[in-house]
Amino acid sequence: MELLKEKIKQEGIAVNEHILKVDSFINHQIEPGLMQEIGKNIADHFRDRGITKIAAIESSGIAPALMTSVALDVPLIILKKQPSKILNQDLYQTVVTSFTKETNYELTLSKKYISAEDHVLIVDDFLANGEAATAALRLLRMSHATIAGLAVLIEKSFQPGHDKLVSQGVEVYALAQITEMAENFILFKE
Ligand code: G4P
């Protein structure tokens, strides 16, 4: 998506070869017009695939996922991060390891909002190691829902997430793919 790539070129900050800061329009402040276009773009790609729900991973996935859900006119479910490991019969739960943040957390979803009849599109901001997306997949599959795909705004293609998801049979749709980064340098896949 050219609009997103241009924005990344203008305002994205490559801190080093691993981390891209996009606080001014995705992670800390959100630009609504851009987010709306992102939602429409993702919706257009996945339209007519029988999607019944959009799933967002808390918290930065919520904005683009909401815009996608508006464009497709289907509900948005939020996969919530919780520190607790207390088992709860009303929830699907799974543990996620974040390599970037070096933490473990529990991803949860109430059984009330998902069923085997659902066909779900997962939307998130970044695809890096793919741990969060893989956990989202695991969680949704506990309900026997089917997965339409994973849409991400920014894929860091030099990290293993993309291949990890594709090898599990998931279509990955990335609006901007970065193949290489260094301090103040970002290379996009054409
Ligand atoms: P993974 O989800 O692909 O496995 O990646 P990882 O565990 O490495 O990422 C952990 C968190 O860091 C995720 O956010 C992910 O979106 C974010 N992240 C990964 N790489 C980058 C990057 O280059 N730039 C930025 N800005 N974020 C990155 P999270 O913990 O789920 O946080 P949030 O959704 O609450 O913002």
Side-chain angles (χ1 to χ4, degrees):
M1 186 190 184
E2 283 311 316
L3 195 62
L4 177 60
K5 285 195 212 168
E6 277 310 311
K7 191 74 174 171
I8 295 169
K9 282 180 196 162
Q10 285 163 14
E11 293 187 28
I13 300 167
V15 179
N16 53 38
E17 64 268 37
H18 300 297
I19 299 292
L20 174 68
K21 297 280 275 181
V22 287
D23 281 358
S24 67
F25 56 104
I26 296 177
N27 287 135
H28 203 31
Q29 167 173 268
I30 292 171
E31 204 163 297
L34 174 66
M35 216 39 105
Q36 199 168 22
E37 290 307 313
I38 285 171
K40 281 186 201 160
N41 183 302
I42 296 171
D44 286 346
H45 183 84
F46 285 96
R47 208 176 289 286
D48 304 323
R49 303 259 200 111
I51 290 167
T52 62
K53 283 185 183 166
I54 307 297
I57 303 170
E58 201 179 22
S59 59
S60 298
I62 295 174
L66 177 62
M67 292 307 185
T68 308
S69 78
V70 170
L72 287 177
D73 194 22
V74 294
L76 165 68
I77 48 177
I78 299 168
L79 311 183
K80 294 168 85 85
K81 290 177 184 165
Q82 294 186 348
S84 156
K85 287 193 176 170
I86 300 165
L87 279 177
N88 182 330
Q89 286 190 0
D90 304 327
L91 299 175
Y92 293 115
Q93 294 172 283
T94 190
V95 174
V96 190
T97 303
S98 168
F99 292 112
T100 307
K101 298 193 174 170
E102 295 181 342
T103 52
N104 280 343
Y105 61 88
E106 193 92 2
L107 202 62
T108 69
L109 172 61
S110 169
K111 292 180 181 175
K112 273 195 280 189
Y113 304 124
I114 189 84
S115 79
E117 278 73 54
D118 281 314
H119 192 48
V120 185
L121 172 64
I122 305 167
V123 177
D124 207 0
D125 57 342
F126 273 91
L127 179 58
N129 291 301
E131 287 302 314
T134 302
L137 209 62
R138 218 162 44 232
L139 198 68
L140 292 163
R141 284 179 172 161
M142 285 177 192
S143 69
H144 301 288
T146 52
I147 308 298
L150 166 71
V152 292
L153 310 198
I154 303 171
E155 173 189 288
K156 292 189 293 180
S157 308
F158 52 88
Q159 289 189 259
H162 178 99
D163 290 349
K164 203 183 280 180
L165 271 296
V166 169
S167 70
Q168 294 176 79
V170 176
E171 177 187 341
V172 176
Y173 180 58
L175 301 191
Q177 291 174 296
I178 296 175
T179 52
E180 199 184 332
M181 279 195 332
E183 194 179 341
N184 299 320
F185 171 79
I186 303 168
L187 187 65
F188 291 100
K189 187 172 179 177
E190 288 312 325

